Amino acid sequence: RHITELPLEGRNVANLLSLQPGATRDGSVAGARADQSNVTLDGVDINEAETNQLSNPNSDPADSTNALNLVPERSSVIRLNAEAVEEFRVTTSNPNANQGRSGGAQVALVTKSGSNEFHGALFEFYRTKKFSANDFFNNLSGIEKPALIRHTFGGALGGPILKDRAFFFYSFEGDRITRSQPIEIPRNVPLPSLGRGEVRFFGCPPGTAIDDCGESVPVTLQTLTTAQLNSIFPLVGMNPAAINVLRDAAARYPANDFTTGDGLNHAGFRFNTPLPAERNSHVGKFDFNLTNSQTAFVRASVIYDLIARERQFPDTPAPTIWSHPLGVAAGHTWTINNSMVNNFRYGFTREAFSQQGDSGENAISFRFIFSPRTFSRTLTRITPVQNFTNDFSWVKGNHNFGFGTNIRLVRNRRDSFANAFDNAITNPSFYQGGGATIADPVNDFAPISGSTTGVENAVTALIGRLSQYSALFTFDRDGTLLPSGTPAAREFRTEEYDFYFQDSWKIKPNLTFTYGLRYGYSTPVYEKNGFEVKTTVPLSEFFEARRAAALQGQSLNTPLTLELSGQANN
């Protein structure tokens, strides 16, 4: 009832953790970081297996803390539906041996069950932008208040299938969000003058001696035409293709923020980026009284979310997150006799998402002036975790003994396009001599007053030569060069085995001594397909050799050689 009645932002049950003493809003508890907490649902692991952070791609785009690209909400792989949670239990510190998988908070949740009576619930929440304030920088730039419509709805139904024997429970929660958000960092855009192939600066007219500029000749706003720039740089000239790109950008994205850029050739462009989201959470559970001493349950959780992320410009593709994790749990409880109880749980929890980038092409941009995309790249990850747990409780005299095991089989399959494409930039710093290579000839032709940075950036963009180029290569396991645009496909694996013993010894009615021991073993993470290497010389030996050379005042630069390693390579 408390979970249902407490005002939860976005109805996210995991936010209840922040109400515990010693817990912070980001999930850190009693000095332990957020990745040290352990979360279980119906006795099985629902942690994010790759990072173990209390977060996942099922971001809450209506969270006011989400400034850029939707900071993930605090949650677990399975986003918890408030209407489906029966129990929320937290041990913030000093857990017993049966819980202590990690040093942070131990969060245990239980899904509701059906009963001999039918019970149901319906809910709906609707929120608009009427009572929200505009962003400070939006007001400064004359941009309207971002859109915000959040529609959350759902319900639950539970009851008997066979009286006293079998029961069901089902809950659904949906979220439909129409929202826009001010971009935090304004986009660099060229001004119309730069789109015409002109460069503006404060200085003196062409032909003025540098020593006279600001002395006998006053400093005024100067404009160099394309023809004048071509005469200054006759070997390369201004690039008509680059000028066309800048002209189009200046027309499509008129600058509205002059707190960035030089204000003469380029400035900033602010807008409200649309961040629509559609989120769906299904939870179903069946409970069975098999005999007077045995019970069992099966629970399934399915989530399907589609969330937009921040785009580069209003008319460019929106990166999106398509998230579809699922979880299945089954359990059997056997009351062997009045003093012995055995609990077995099996869980299959699969994190699955695809972060869709906004570009599948080489990244080409004008440094400090204009970038047509964010050039975010697509990443797909599927991380299934199988979890087997068994807990045996034995009450003997004044002792309550506990024995158990927790086994996790973790797999991580990912396809990443992060290094699948090249990138190139018109960068003034990457000419021989740096930006002076650009500024000095202009200064000789028409003296520049003050900083030359704005001129260097603008002229470099008009010259339109890719002075900085990074070629990225993807190789197959045998060293074969794969075509550009090929993702890096990897599957990582590890297994974790935990065993524990504990005893709660009631020495006197007012004195209980609890003690125990937990042992955990995690196998080294390895790559299934053989994309794993090591140095031919152990790094410890290499370090010691360098250390010995340093003591002699020498430099050791022996090349390191890599060879295939790992389980897949024997």
Side-chain angles (χ1 to χ4, degrees):
R1 190 174 67 187
H2 287 239
I3 292 172
T4 304
E5 294 176 353
L6 278 171
L8 294 173
E9 171 63 27
R11 293 177 60 81
N12 180 14
V13 178
N15 284 330
L16 290 171
L17 176 60
S18 65
L19 301 180
Q20 309 305 312
T24 66
R25 192 173 185 273
D26 67 356
S28 301
V29 181
R33 296 183 178 183
D35 63 355
Q36 293 296 303
S37 294
N38 184 45
V39 185
T40 62
L41 178 61
D42 298 322
V44 300
D45 189 333
I46 58 169
N47 296 288
E48 217 292 355
E50 180 172 290
T51 65
N52 209 57
Q53 291 284 349
L54 282 176
S55 63
N56 70 354
N58 302 318
S59 307
D60 179 4
D63 184 349
S64 61
T65 64
N66 291 345
L68 269 178
N69 291 337
L70 302 178
V71 176
E73 69 176 351
R74 187 170 61 258
S75 186
S76 49
V77 172
I78 304 300
R79 188 175 67 253
L80 304 169
N81 179 337
E83 208 64 47
V85 175
E86 176 72 24
E87 182 179 309
F88 182 94
R89 185 187 299 265
V90 179
T91 303
T92 54
S93 59
N94 195 28
N96 290 339
N98 65 332
Q99 282 189 305
R101 177 195 178 191
S102 57
Q106 308 293 314
V107 182
L109 300 111
V110 178
T111 307
K112 284 182 180 178
S113 299
S115 65
N116 275 330
E117 297 180 354
F118 285 98
H119 291 278
L122 289 174
F123 60 87
E124 184 171 13
F125 302 89
Y126 193 80
R127 173 185 174 185
T128 71
K129 70 175 183 179
K130 183 176 181 180
F131 298 107
S132 61
N134 199 6
D135 177 84
F136 171 82
F137 293 101
N138 271 14
N139 282 331
L140 188 66
S141 303
I143 300 173
E144 66 177 355
K145 184 192 300 185
L148 173 59
I149 299 176
R150 180 164 190 170
H151 187 199
T152 304
F153 55 93
L157 179 65
I161 300 174
L162 184 63
K163 188 175 181 180
D164 296 330
R165 287 293 184 182
F167 315 93
F168 78 94
F169 175 83
Y170 169 75
S171 177
F172 168 77
E173 181 172 288
D175 227 1
R176 304 293 183 268
I177 303 173
T178 302
R179 179 175 183 265
S180 61
Q181 175 176 285
I183 60 171
E184 184 168 312
I185 302 174
R187 307 297 189 236
N188 291 319
V189 293
L191 294 176
S193 57
L194 194 63
R196 294 191 296 269
E198 302 169 354
V199 172
R200 301 194 299 173
F201 59 89
F202 284 100
C204 296
T208 304
I210 293 178
D211 292 340
D212 294 337
C213 187
E215 298 292 335
S216 58
V217 180
V219 172
T220 57
L221 180 63
Q222 302 296 319
T223 300
L224 297 182
T225 65
T226 303
Q228 289 173 314
L229 291 168
N230 283 333
S231 68
I232 299 173
F233 300 96
L235 296 181
V236 290
M238 302 303 105
N239 187 342
I243 294 175
N244 288 336
V245 172
L246 298 174
R247 179 188 299 117
D248 180 67
R252 294 168 67 179
Y253 315 118
N256 55 16
D257 185 335
F258 288 84
T259 63
T260 185
D262 65 2
L264 299 175
N265 302 289
H266 67 103
F269 177 74
R270 286 187 177 275
F271 64 99
N272 292 325
T273 180
L275 297 174
E278 178 179 330
R279 309 197 304 172
N280 303 278
S281 173
H282 301 266
V283 179
K285 188 179 183 184
F286 295 95
D287 291 90
F288 307 93
N289 293 328
L290 303 177
T291 67
N292 291 335
S293 61
Q294 299 186 59
T295 63
F297 77 87
V298 177
R299 185 261 306 158
S301 303
V302 179
I303 293 173
Y304 186 93
D305 297 343
L306 185 61
I307 301 171
R309 295 186 294 159
E310 185 172 294
R311 61 185 71 196
Q312 180 70 352
F313 289 103
D315 59 350
T316 57
T320 58
I321 297 176
W322 175 45
S323 179
H324 49 106
L326 64 86
V328 177
H332 176 267
T333 301
W334 179 22
T335 305
I336 302 171
N337 53 41
N338 290 339
S339 62
M340 296 181 182
V341 178
N342 190 79
N343 274 298
F344 172 78
R345 299 285 188 272
Y346 168 76
F348 176 83
T349 303
R350 188 200 68 180
E351 171 74 290
F353 66 87
S354 177
Q355 294 180 346
Q356 296 292 323
D358 72 341
S359 175
E361 300 175 348
N362 292 335
I364 299 177
S365 59
F366 301 83
R367 191 180 186 197
F368 306 118
I369 302 294
F370 176 67
S371 177
R373 297 285 190 274
T374 65
F375 294 111
S376 57
R377 305 304 189 185
T378 296
L379 167 67
T380 298
R381 174 155 70 86
I382 300 175
T383 310
V385 177
Q386 295 192 69
N387 190 200
F388 303 86
T389 72
N390 196 84
D391 299 282
F392 178 77
S393 177
W394 179 27
V395 178
K396 184 173 179 60
N398 293 336
H399 295 268
N400 187 348
F401 297 106
F403 309 86
T405 184
N406 191 327
I407 300 172
R408 290 172 293 274
L409 310 179
V410 183
R411 305 292 182 258
N412 187 330
R413 300 192 295 271
R414 53 193 292 122
D415 290 341
S416 174
F417 288 85
N419 296 311
F421 304 97
D422 298 350
N423 61 76
I425 308 173
T426 63
N427 187 352
S429 302
F430 268 57
Y431 284 109
Q432 185 176 4
T437 301
I438 302 297
D440 289 350
V442 176
N443 213 25
D444 292 339
F445 182 79
I448 305 168
S449 176
S451 172
T452 61
T453 301
V455 172
E456 293 169 1
N457 297 340
V459 174
T460 299
L462 294 179
I463 290 176
R465 266 60 176 182
L466 303 175
S467 53
Q468 177 183 351
Y469 192 98
S470 298
L472 304 180
F473 301 97
T474 303
F475 295 90
D476 208 343
R477 177 178 172 274
D478 61 2
T480 304
L481 179 63
L482 299 175
S484 178
T486 302
R490 304 288 185 267
E491 180 174 345
F492 302 98
R493 294 186 170 190
T494 187
E495 292 80 36
E496 302 175 3
Y497 305 93
D498 287 10
F499 306 93
Y500 76 88
F501 159 77
Q502 70 180 32
D503 177 27
S504 184
W505 178 18
K506 192 171 185 180
I507 302 173
K508 296 173 19 179
N510 63 346
L511 178 62
T512 301
F513 178 45
T514 301
Y515 59 96
L517 178 68
R518 186 181 186 94
Y519 175 79
Y521 173 72
S522 299
T523 63
V525 178
Y526 66 96
E527 206 285 319
K528 175 200 169 189
N529 300 314
F531 288 95
E532 191 171 343
V533 296
K534 67 177 180 65
T535 54
T536 54
V537 177
L539 290 178
S540 57
E541 293 182 13
F542 181 76
F543 174 78
E544 286 301 326
R546 293 197 65 171
R547 178 174 174 273
L551 292 174
Q552 300 297 322
Q554 301 172 354
S555 176
L556 179 70
N557 295 312
T558 305
L560 282 172
T561 304
L562 301 176
E563 64 181 2
L564 293 173
S565 68
Q567 293 188 24
N569 296 305
N570 301 314

